[in-house]
Amino acid sequence: LQRMLSIAVEVDKSPNCNSCKIADVLFPFIWNIPLRSQREVLFNTMESQLLRCKLLELLFQQSCDVPTTLPLSLDKILYFLTHSSVLLPYQDETATWQRWDEMLQYLSLLLLSYQNCIPLAEHLRSSLSERMDLIIQKAKPRLRVSDDISPGDIELRIEDFTDRMQQILGQPFPWQITEKLGMFR
């Protein structure tokens, strides 16, 4: 399945457009996967980094109190950190900190997937054959303004997140949350 999805993303002239279409179709199924372990297997085995980015972006967009219209960027990922909640429908039986742990896990996965897509970000609108020509020519993609973030921006957003988390949990963070925040940082 993962190989077929990866091929489906690349089959047309616009992998970016294809990944959006495929993500829109797959998202309702992913939203209703009952177990965290099943969701993690799906995301961790996904071959297409671009499709993984789109699916995780939809997941976070759905879980934001106030959705954003920013394009996927480092700034948007930081926005998700401070504005996401844990709205997956099948998480009721798990402890609150475990739901936040899952959210941080997916946010880190989104960041890693996005970082793998950045070198090709400008080229992803091109077909595979055109993209190969651009890569051979060593045409450098242009970074978006929203990808230019400072360490201060990161610290501020992480502080906002930890303050919100402290209010929700009302207790010291479990070591898993602290570890994932460190990894995300």
Side-chain angles (χ1 to χ4, degrees):
L1 174 66
Q2 295 296 358
R3 185 69 185 135
M4 288 171 46
L5 289 172
S6 181
I7 291 170
V9 166
E10 297 292 342
V11 82
D12 202 354
K13 289 190 178 226
S14 177
N16 194 36
C17 184
N18 283 353
S19 63
C20 288
K21 289 177 187 176
I22 293 168
D24 286 340
V25 171
L26 287 178
F27 181 71
F29 299 106
I30 291 171
W31 184 256
N32 289 309
I33 292 175
L35 298 175
R36 176 181 179 174
S37 60
Q38 293 170 333
R39 287 187 291 271
E40 285 180 355
V41 166
L42 178 72
F43 287 126
N44 289 332
T45 60
M46 197 159 282
E47 287 185 21
S48 172
Q49 299 288 328
L50 183 59
L51 182 58
R52 182 183 310 163
C53 279
K54 297 295 181 181
L55 284 167
L56 288 167
E57 180 182 13
L58 284 173
L59 182 73
F60 282 105
Q61 218 30 26
Q62 186 75 22
S63 72
C64 274
D65 302 328
V66 180
T68 179
T69 57
L70 290 170
L72 186 59
S73 61
L74 296 177
D75 193 36
K76 187 172 188 175
I77 292 171
L78 286 176
Y79 179 88
F80 288 150
L81 177 67
T82 55
H83 291 87
S84 290
S85 61
V86 285
L87 293 176
L88 288 171
Y90 293 104
Q91 288 185 323
D92 294 338
E93 299 151 10
T94 59
T96 303
W97 74 267
Q98 289 174 322
R99 290 184 265 165
W100 285 101
D101 182 62
E102 182 178 6
M103 189 273 290
L104 284 172
Q105 176 73 26
Y106 295 151
L107 198 59
S108 294
L109 191 57
L110 175 61
L111 180 61
L112 290 173
S113 297
Y114 182 69
Q115 286 177 328
N116 287 331
C117 289
I118 284 180
L120 299 174
E122 192 65 30
H123 307 319
L124 288 177
R125 296 184 191 345
S126 309
S127 68
L128 189 58
S129 59
E130 292 170 2
R131 192 178 328 147
M132 294 311 284
D133 292 339
L134 290 170
I135 292 170
I136 290 169
Q137 295 170 6
K138 297 183 181 178
K140 296 194 177 192
R142 294 178 304 241
L143 290 179
R144 296 181 180 143
V145 173
S146 52
D147 280 330
D148 188 23
I149 57 172
S150 69
D153 295 334
I154 296 167
E155 289 304 316
L156 181 65
R157 297 289 179 92
I158 287 179
E159 284 178 30
D160 289 346
F161 175 78
T162 53
D163 290 345
R164 185 169 60 130
M165 205 52 185
Q166 193 67 43
Q167 289 174 354
I168 291 170
L169 292 178
Q171 61 188 13
F173 294 161
W175 64 270
Q176 294 93 331
I177 298 285
T178 307
E179 186 178 277
K180 285 197 176 57
L181 269 175
M183 186 173 66
F184 182 79
R185 181 178 277 129

